[in-house]
Amino acid sequence: MIEMTLSEVADAVNGRLVLGSAASAADGAETVVLGESQTDSREVRPGEIFFARRGEETDGHLFAARAVDAGAALVVAEHEVDDRVPQILVSETTEALGALATEVVRRVRDRGALTIVGITGSNGKTTTKNLVAAMAERLGPTVASAKSFNNEVGGPLTMLRVEHRTRTLVAEMGASAPGEIARLARMAPPHIGVVLSVGLAHAGEFGGIETTFRTKSEMVRDLPDDAVAVLNRDDPRVAQMADLTAARVLWFGVHPEAEVRASDIDSDAEGTRFTLHAGGHEARVRFRVLGEHHVMNALAAAAIGLELGLPIADVVEALEAATLAAPGRMQVLGGRDGITVVNDAYNASPDSMSAALRTLAQIRRPEGRSVAVLGAMSELGEYSIEEHIRVGLQAVRLRISELVVVGAEARHLHISAINEGSWDGESVFFETQDEAYAYLLRTLRPLDTVLVKSSNAAGLQGLGDRLGEAYA
């Protein structure tokens, strides 16, 4: 974070400064803080700011003393908690976190050297963010969202890492309800606003695809005319957003109208190769991130990289240097006896589940089987049964050799598959991961290709890791 005095922080968050018992008269309100901000006391390091936030399961105020013991220089809280360090008392801690992020970004942005990239979409945010961050690093110091820090807490924590020397801020901006992307975009107004896709991820929370569309379009609705909206030309709902923004539109996709597009796409177990077309240039790209669907993320990242000022050769080099979308996302493990395990269980939506199954069908060895180990897709609300049934039917139609369905919430997927009479494969169901793991150890054959896919809440990422270790 940039240097700010205690009084400046208090003003930014509209709070009341209470100097701790250790504060000297010589320092007081003019003491400077510049450490990162944390909402988890276990993450606090000396000199950092701890926001005592009330969460769904616990209350950060209960852990303020632990944060001070770890070296916190300042605590932002809703009531006094520990007088060993200065405290700033606010009416609501999460709002204060966002207010401080807004002020820090404003100060850095006003100096004119910071470019802000905001990325949203139903799928692909983290992969695209990682690719863009790698490109932006070539131009200067870059701050990017850690993990999937993209909500009302993770977003501000990322923004507060910005310093005066930061050249690019790459921020995921996610949402579980309307208005959240707009709120994040007000904290860090993007110069480049990106919408990757509009799908059924979180449809249960949003209340339907049209609400999802309106929520994702918050990324571009308030962009000024000197900003850039990077939009997926292949997604018809995203394409509609061109009419909702004053910003210049930069299209990406395989559509012939896309200014940054791909052709001659070819996928296998080693990744995907495609020809990148942009600005009158073309280049062959060997993209080692597994899954043809990740080409769209690569195109979005290429469009952003070019917009940031990178030459196409550097964009290609950055894409070819990437080997993993993110841990738990199309992560290739195993190898013993020719058994390949693809762990893609960090998250799942109907679109990403469909894409992962298509990838499995594409990359299976002719001599081996394709085995899909599938768990539940979360946050689908009223669409849950319908979408799990649809995934089961798709697995059959792609002629996946075997389905291993894990967990009661995914049972409809299993039932859908076994009810499809034209299928010559099979589907088995297990309540627990341990049962599925034991079954797979008994039945996997040399040269099999195994996909492990579920939402994070279903917890199959650990099963994928265990299989990868077993067949390392």
Side-chain angles (χ1 to χ4, degrees):
M1 191 179 86
I2 62 174
E3 291 187 4
M4 294 180 69
T5 65
L6 293 175
S7 62
E8 287 176 321
V9 175
D11 288 343
V13 301
N14 194 27
R16 178 169 64 89
L17 176 62
V18 178
L19 294 175
S21 59
S24 69
D27 301 331
E30 299 310 306
T31 299
V32 171
V33 289
L34 48 76
E36 291 188 17
S37 295
Q38 306 290 350
T39 58
D40 186 337
S41 62
R42 296 167 296 184
E43 301 292 328
V44 172
R45 294 173 296 182
E48 295 188 337
I49 303 172
F50 176 64
F51 281 78
R53 177 179 173 271
R54 298 180 191 275
E56 293 181 2
E57 298 180 359
T58 189
D59 184 348
H61 293 80
L62 301 175
F63 302 95
R66 179 186 297 177
V68 175
D69 290 342
L74 171 66
V75 174
V76 180
E78 295 169 16
H79 59 76
E80 293 190 38
V81 287
D82 195 315
D83 71 351
R84 290 177 292 165
V85 297
Q87 303 167 72
I88 295 176
L89 306 184
V90 297
S91 59
E92 210 285 321
T93 312
T94 302
E95 291 181 3
L97 178 68
L100 183 58
T102 302
E103 177 63 11
V104 167
V105 171
R106 183 194 66 79
R107 291 188 180 203
V108 177
R109 182 172 171 153
D110 283 353
R111 289 195 173 192
L114 178 66
T115 298
I116 300 171
V117 180
I119 301 172
T120 197
S122 297
N123 299 289
K125 292 185 295 296
T126 299
T127 301
T128 304
K129 175 260 299 180
N130 290 343
L131 293 170
V132 173
M135 293 179 190
E137 285 284 1
R138 295 168 177 253
L139 298 170
T142 298
V143 170
S145 305
K147 303 176 184 177
S148 292
F149 277 18
N150 61 23
N151 61 9
E152 62 178 358
V153 177
L157 289 176
T158 298
M159 297 168 195
L160 285 168
R161 290 167 43 214
V162 167
E163 301 174 347
H164 285 302
R165 68 188 187 93
T166 304
R167 176 81 179 266
T168 310
L169 167 62
V170 186
E172 284 188 54
M173 296 185 179
S176 57
E180 292 183 3
I181 292 172
R183 181 170 181 262
L184 291 169
R186 285 193 295 270
M187 292 181 198
H191 299 87
I192 303 172
V194 186
V195 185
L196 301 169
S197 60
V198 174
L200 282 173
H202 309 294
E205 296 177 339
F206 285 130
I209 194 69
E210 291 308 318
T211 305
T212 303
F213 166 79
R214 289 193 297 273
T215 301
K216 298 302 181 185
S217 69
E218 292 171 12
M219 173 61 74
V220 299
R221 284 179 183 269
D222 294 330
L223 290 178
D225 58 10
D226 60 348
V228 180
V230 177
L231 302 178
N232 183 347
R233 185 63 181 83
D234 292 4
D235 186 313
R237 290 188 176 89
V238 176
Q240 292 176 36
M241 296 180 192
D243 297 328
L244 304 178
T245 184
R248 172 170 59 88
V249 173
L250 177 60
W251 298 111
F252 69 91
V254 299
H255 194 284
E257 292 179 3
E259 293 137 291
V260 179
R261 65 182 181 90
S263 66
D264 304 318
I265 300 171
D266 178 34
S267 297
D268 58 25
E270 302 298 319
T272 307
R273 291 159 298 281
F274 63 93
T275 300
L276 173 65
H277 305 265
H281 302 280
E282 63 178 57
R284 194 67 179 163
V285 178
R286 181 174 176 265
F287 191 48
R288 290 183 289 169
V289 176
L290 188 64
E292 188 174 304
H293 54 291
H294 282 303
V295 171
M296 297 305 290
N297 302 326
L299 291 174
I304 299 162
L306 293 166
E307 194 62 34
L308 290 173
L310 280 177
I312 192 169
D314 285 6
V315 167
V316 171
E317 190 174 280
L319 292 176
E320 294 192 331
T323 58
L324 181 64
R329 290 179 167 92
M330 301 304 285
Q331 185 172 8
V332 180
L333 305 169
R336 180 168 60 85
D337 298 330
I339 294 173
T340 300
V341 178
V342 181
N343 192 1
D344 194 30
Y346 182 85
N347 218 337
S349 67
D351 290 338
S352 68
M353 187 75 85
S354 175
L357 285 171
R358 289 197 305 272
T359 298
L360 174 62
Q362 288 174 337
I363 69 174
R364 63 165 287 188
R365 293 182 175 89
E367 308 89 345
R369 301 178 305 155
S370 54
V371 180
V373 183
L374 305 181
M377 301 176 287
S378 302
E379 302 174 348
L380 293 177
E382 64 181 288
Y383 301 96
S384 181
I385 293 175
E386 174 187 344
E387 290 302 320
H388 282 92
I389 289 173
R390 188 181 65 80
V391 167
L393 290 175
Q394 184 185 24
V396 171
R397 290 163 186 168
L398 288 171
R399 310 204 70 77
I400 302 302
S401 306
E402 182 174 25
L403 281 180
V404 178
V405 180
V406 186
E409 292 184 350
R411 187 185 290 273
H412 285 285
L413 197 161
H414 166 65
I415 294 171
S416 171
I418 61 175
N419 284 342
E420 184 69 24
S422 62
W423 189 32
D424 60 3
E426 64 176 318
S427 181
V428 293
F429 173 80
F430 298 99
E431 290 279 356
T432 70
Q433 292 184 41
D434 286 342
E435 292 172 317
Y437 178 70
Y439 171 81
L440 289 162
L441 289 185
R442 293 195 309 269
T443 60
L444 285 180
R445 308 170 189 169
L447 303 179
D448 281 353
T449 302
V450 185
L451 168 71
V452 183
K453 179 72 174 174
S454 73
S455 285
N456 197 28
L460 295 198
Q461 187 172 354
L463 175 59
D465 289 339
R466 289 171 69 188
L467 288 171
E469 291 174 4
Y471 292 100

